[in-house]
Amino acid sequence: MSDFTDNLKPRHDGAATLTAERNGSLISSDELSKHLLSRDGFLPRQARIVEILEKEKLFSKNQQLNLSRPERYHLGLARAKALRRMVEKHGWDHEDYRMAEYLTDEMSPFHLQMTMFATTVREQASEEQKAYWMPKILDWSIIGCYAQSELGHGSNVKGLETQAKWDPKAKEFVLHSPYLTASKWWNGAMGRTATHAIVVAQLLLPGKDNPAQFTSYGPQPFIVQIRDLKTHQPLPGIIVGDIGPKYGYASMDNGYMLFDQFRIPHSAMLSRYAEVNNETGAFTKRGHHAVLYGSLTFVRAQIIMHARLILARAVTVAVRYTAIRRQFRNRDSKDESEPEMAILDYPTVQIRILPLLATTFALHYTGEMMYDLYSRTRQSIEKGDFSAIAELHSASSGLKSLCTTLAADGIETCRRAMGGHGFGGGSGLVGINADYLSKPTVEGDNWMITQQVAAYLIKKMTAAVENPDAPPADALDELFQMYLRDSGRRLPQNVVHGSEVDDEAIVDVFQWRAADLSYRAYQSRIIEKKSWNSLLIQLHKLSRAYSEQILITNFHAALTNPASTSTLSPTTHSVLRSCFRLYALFTMDNEARSFSSTNAVCTDSLDVLPDTILALMAEIRPHAVKLVDSWAIPDYLLDSALGRYDGKVYEKLFDMAHRQNPLNQVTFNRDWRSEEIVLGSGDGGKPILSKL
């Protein structure tokens, strides 16, 4: 219904503001977009798919936040099924399908099918098993999930309690949950959707002399049908369901599952790297022990590569909105008619948002490195070469911890920097904030998995100490050998000379700090024999320092590689270099004690960091809107009134509240004497009672 507000305009024109911001920068956002997002035809694919999704009523996001959790699962399943039909209708390939999932921005009940479920079968099943299962997976005649975490154990995979006992007479495995804490828990798609699961269970084999006594051979993956393919009811001996409400992931049916002496065939055990002989019951293991965690490593790599896009969304909203939002005049101005300042011009806002803008690019270049490392390692593993798996496992663990921490904390920092409107649904941050909260704990808790990085670094440092003249196998060996040679004559570096920043020195000090902290961990653990538990905080800091130097090294390498930057104009390249310096020096300032105590940076440089950071933010500020534009995030995906590309912030916020809010379409009975809730309905409060 029309009313007088239809003709009201905001006092300040957000559209004109963003146009002026873009006109004030000489960098090309299109040029930078192609530099960042050219792999696999990302940009044209995104434009093509988003045009299709925006036309489909089922994929409208206008009312998502007003739906209950059961309604969100219903919507999620409807969308998941529709996407599969759209694959057939439009002839989409797998990358098109992944793009549609990305743009829908919803943890689909089908999401695990082609990620952990298919990946596990592809990587850990025998050729015969793959020949049987992969066609069923690829034509979606079965829907899969990955059942590893349990009610009592998540990160400690070796401690899983679900049992898979080998019955030599029946030549079957017997899955059993001996304790309540053995219940599979948190497993996505398992609650209401999946027909099959990869079940990770303790393999128990009977003793030769005493068949009644079983020995554990560690956790192994089994492919298990859990529901009837016609009725979709749990099979006898299985209890399975949805765990209920949680932070985020409203459309995903994270589940629980227990087994009561549930029998599965010998062929259920994925047997590429481990198997139980069908005749003798003998256990054979092949390859590297870490291949069991291949699916986790795959997901960690995906999470690392995705972190840049998630943080970029939050920063895009924050930059565009704070460029438009006006609050207070400049205190030092004598002109009473001077307009209010854009809040992005306040250093107290810049220091929260602009380093995060720089962080998106740091995450990008390391995400690209992780993509290459994972691809190379998988190719080597497929050829039977497991030599690179330790590096991959370490890098994926440390970077997963750091990158998800930066992204999750960054989303919340952006929300707070936007003031009150950042709290509302119109911010576009409610969904990604809630959904991304899982990332610092899922697929390995961010504090726990850093132990794996530290153990790897201590092992590498031990080798360097014991054999300093050995030919280095990789860049880390070179770093540690250099550190051992130069530690006695190290002079702290000066990274800032007057107004000039030394980029090579920045890389040097980040690498030196990581090497020094690695040596200290080696001293504590190997030489002084300190208990592992007493070192955990020290080791966590080591992992973060090592991972930060990876981000710095990759960012700098990309900017100094002619092949990488050949498509960038000098202006754009210069602004990216300022972003590199801002990310590096902001990190250094926050960890000043660590850089000082490791003899990496001289005190004079640390003292001038705050002023240098202010100067760098002043350099980046005119380009901020163009820089976030370069991430090419469609309004459909951003789903934010505050972050709209056209800048019509206040118009959209008011429209969402006044015209779209279903609560405003109902007149309520506020009289406490009456049980009626909706005025004139005579409902007696029954609708709400039926939902309790």
Side-chain angles (χ1 to χ4, degrees):
M1 182 182 296
S2 298
D3 56 47
F4 76 91
T5 62
D6 294 346
N7 299 314
L8 288 180
K9 302 295 182 184
R11 182 175 183 179
H12 178 72
D13 189 344
T17 297
L18 288 193
T19 298
E21 288 276 350
R22 291 174 178 125
N23 291 338
S25 170
L26 293 178
I27 70 171
S28 168
S29 55
D30 289 340
E31 171 192 283
L32 188 50
S33 292
K34 292 174 183 176
H35 169 74
L36 296 169
L37 302 169
S38 60
R39 179 157 49 81
D40 296 333
F42 183 96
L43 290 171
R45 190 189 310 276
Q46 176 175 264
R48 174 167 49 85
I49 302 298
V50 77
E51 183 179 6
I52 294 172
L53 293 177
E54 285 182 312
K55 294 177 181 177
E56 298 288 339
K57 174 65 175 174
L58 183 62
F59 291 90
S60 169
K61 300 180 182 181
N62 289 344
Q63 295 298 328
Q64 281 187 178
L65 291 180
N66 290 314
L67 299 179
S68 68
R69 197 259 155 164
E71 289 170 332
R72 284 299 304 275
Y73 171 72
H74 288 188
L75 176 62
L77 183 58
R79 285 174 170 172
K81 295 168 69 172
L83 284 182
R84 291 308 312 161
R85 294 192 295 270
M86 291 165 79
V87 167
E88 302 298 323
K89 177 181 178 181
H90 299 288
W92 287 351
D93 61 18
H94 182 59
E95 290 303 316
D96 291 334
Y97 175 75
R98 288 182 61 197
M99 176 61 74
E101 275 201 324
Y102 164 67
L103 292 168
T104 304
D105 189 33
E106 182 172 67
M107 187 50 69
S108 163
F110 284 2
H111 179 71
L112 276 295
Q113 173 82 349
M114 297 307 295
T115 53
M116 296 193 78
F117 187 64
T119 299
T120 303
V121 174
R122 187 180 295 112
E123 294 183 357
Q124 300 194 43
S126 67
E127 292 302 318
E128 183 180 359
Q129 289 171 326
K130 282 192 288 187
Y132 178 80
W133 288 110
M134 288 307 298
K136 299 178 184 298
I137 295 171
L138 295 176
D139 72 7
W140 296 74
S141 60
I142 63 174
I143 302 295
C145 64
Y146 187 84
Q148 179 169 291
S149 297
E150 295 179 352
L151 187 57
H153 287 90
S155 298
N156 181 14
V157 179
K158 291 182 179 179
L160 295 180
E161 298 169 1
T162 301
Q163 299 174 348
K165 286 186 177 181
W166 174 244
D167 180 348
K169 294 182 179 179
K171 300 189 186 305
E172 295 174 332
F173 294 102
V174 181
L175 289 178
H176 187 61
S177 307
Y179 312 103
L180 185 64
T181 44
S183 172
K184 293 299 178 183
W185 200 271
W186 278 119
N187 314 134
M190 191 170 74
R192 307 304 297 161
T193 310
T195 61
H196 289 68
I198 300 295
V199 178
V200 181
Q202 295 285 351
L203 174 62
L204 302 179
L205 301 181
K208 292 182 180 179
D209 298 328
N210 184 2
Q213 186 170 349
F214 286 80
T215 301
S216 174
Y217 286 79
Q220 301 294 333
F222 300 81
I223 187 166
V224 181
Q225 182 177 341
I226 62 174
R227 287 185 170 94
D228 186 278
L229 294 182
K230 291 184 178 179
T231 66
H232 202 61
Q233 294 302 306
L235 297 179
I238 296 179
I239 296 293
V240 60
D242 179 87
I243 63 172
K246 53 197 178 290
Y247 275 111
Y249 285 9
S251 54
M252 172 62 86
D253 53 323
N254 295 87
Y256 61 85
M257 181 165 62
L258 300 101
F259 302 95
D260 182 22
Q261 307 294 339
F262 184 76
R263 290 183 172 269
I264 55 177
H266 172 264
S267 60
M269 181 175 166
L270 299 185
S271 57
R272 181 175 184 180
Y273 298 112
E275 65 179 327
V276 173
N277 187 283
N278 199 28
E279 299 301 325
T280 66
F283 178 68
T284 304
K285 198 169 185 179
R286 295 178 290 274
H288 193 281
H289 66 88
V291 294
L292 173 64
Y293 310 114
S295 298
L296 288 177
T297 304
F298 168 77
V299 173
R300 286 177 187 170
Q302 294 290 318
I303 288 172
I304 293 164
M305 290 183 277
H306 191 55
R308 58 183 179 147
L309 297 174
I310 287 291
L311 182 58
R313 284 172 58 185
V315 174
T316 296
V317 172
V319 166
R320 288 177 181 168
Y321 173 67
T322 57
I324 292 170
R325 181 72 166 179
R326 298 289 193 266
Q327 291 288 297
F328 303 107
R329 288 191 304 109
N330 188 331
R331 278 198 175 196
D332 295 326
S333 174
K334 306 300 182 184
D335 184 358
E336 293 293 332
S337 64
E338 184 175 286
E340 293 180 295
M341 289 176 60
I343 62 174
L344 187 53
D345 289 330
Y346 288 102
T348 48
V349 175
Q350 291 180 3
I351 196 64
R352 287 179 279 173
I353 294 176
L354 295 187
L356 288 174
L357 173 56
T359 301
T360 62
F361 299 107
L363 292 176
H364 166 74
Y365 294 112
T366 286
E368 290 292 295
M369 178 280 293
M370 194 67 213
Y371 177 88
D372 292 338
L373 176 62
Y374 181 82
S375 298
R376 290 197 312 271
T377 304
R378 280 309 314 171
Q379 289 172 8
S380 297
I381 291 173
E382 291 300 320
K383 296 175 182 177
D385 178 4
F386 300 92
S387 59
I389 202 168
E391 179 189 3
L392 175 64
H393 195 53
S394 170
S396 65
S397 297
L399 289 171
K400 184 269 176 183
S401 175
L402 175 61
C403 295
T404 57
T405 296
L406 291 173
D409 292 350
I411 295 168
E412 178 62 9
T413 296
C414 287
R415 186 193 68 77
R416 294 186 183 189
M418 293 189 294
H421 286 321
F423 184 69
S427 69
L429 299 188
V430 174
I432 63 171
N433 206 356
D435 286 348
Y436 208 77
L437 281 175
S438 71
K439 292 298 183 287
T441 52
V442 75
E443 314 308 339
D445 172 78
N446 274 7
W447 280 73
M448 184 282 300
I449 60 176
T450 56
Q451 295 179 58
Q452 299 165 15
V453 188
Y456 176 72
L457 295 175
I458 291 172
K459 182 178 180 180
K460 294 284 275 186
M461 181 60 79
T462 302
V465 170
E466 294 177 350
N467 196 357
D469 298 321
D474 51 37
L476 186 58
D477 285 343
E478 292 181 9
L479 173 62
F480 285 178
Q481 289 175 358
M482 178 274 293
Y483 171 83
L484 293 172
R485 286 194 310 269
D486 298 347
S487 59
R489 55 179 185 270
R490 168 76 177 186
L491 292 176
Q493 296 293 296
N494 196 338
V495 297
V496 182
H497 307 272
S499 61
E500 297 297 319
V501 178
D502 188 334
D503 295 344
E504 284 71 25
I506 286 175
V507 177
D508 174 82
V509 300
F510 271 85
Q511 292 182 346
W512 183 270
R513 179 181 66 139
D516 188 84
L517 293 176
S518 297
Y519 184 76
R520 295 181 187 210
Y522 156 78
Q523 283 279 348
S524 297
R525 180 63 175 171
I526 305 302
I527 305 303
E528 299 172 19
K529 307 296 184 184
K530 290 184 179 179
S531 70
W532 188 259
N533 203 45
S534 70
L535 298 175
L536 289 182
I537 297 174
Q538 175 185 344
L539 299 180
H540 178 75
K541 292 179 179 179
L542 165 60
S543 173
R544 177 155 185 150
Y546 174 66
S547 300
E548 285 172 344
Q549 73 83 24
I550 293 178
L551 263 67
I552 290 294
T553 301
N554 286 314
F555 201 163
H556 181 261
L559 295 182
T560 54
N561 181 0
S564 173
T565 59
S566 60
T567 59
L568 297 178
S569 68
T571 301
T572 303
H573 187 269
S574 177
V575 174
L576 280 179
R577 187 172 293 279
S578 295
C579 288
F580 164 76
R581 292 168 176 171
L582 178 57
Y583 169 72
L585 299 187
F586 180 79
T587 303
M588 195 180 299
D589 193 38
N590 285 335
E591 299 289 340
R593 183 180 180 279
S594 174
F595 283 94
S596 176
S597 65
T598 56
N599 216 28
V601 184
C602 66
T603 303
D604 288 347
S605 279
L606 294 175
D607 288 343
V608 300
L609 285 182
D611 288 340
T612 308
I613 289 169
L614 278 173
L616 287 167
M617 292 194 301
E619 290 178 21
I620 294 169
R621 167 63 185 92
H623 309 286
V625 171
K626 279 282 194 73
L627 286 172
V628 297
D629 287 352
S630 71
W631 286 108
I633 302 171
D635 279 343
Y636 176 76
L637 173 59
L638 209 58
D639 193 27
S640 169
L642 303 188
R644 291 170 61 94
Y645 183 87
D646 63 11
K648 295 183 178 181
V649 170
Y650 300 114
E651 297 95 321
K652 181 61 176 177
L653 277 177
F654 188 79
D655 183 67
M656 290 174 67
H658 185 53
R659 300 181 183 90
Q660 296 184 31
N661 187 348
L663 205 59
N664 290 331
Q665 312 306 315
V666 179
T667 301
F668 294 94
N669 184 340
R670 53 92 187 130
D671 187 351
W672 64 270
R673 299 172 186 82
S674 170
E675 292 184 350
E676 181 184 69
I677 302 300
V678 177
L679 192 65
S681 68
D683 58 33
K686 292 179 181 178
I688 190 64
L689 284 174
S690 68
K691 296 180 181 295
L692 297 179

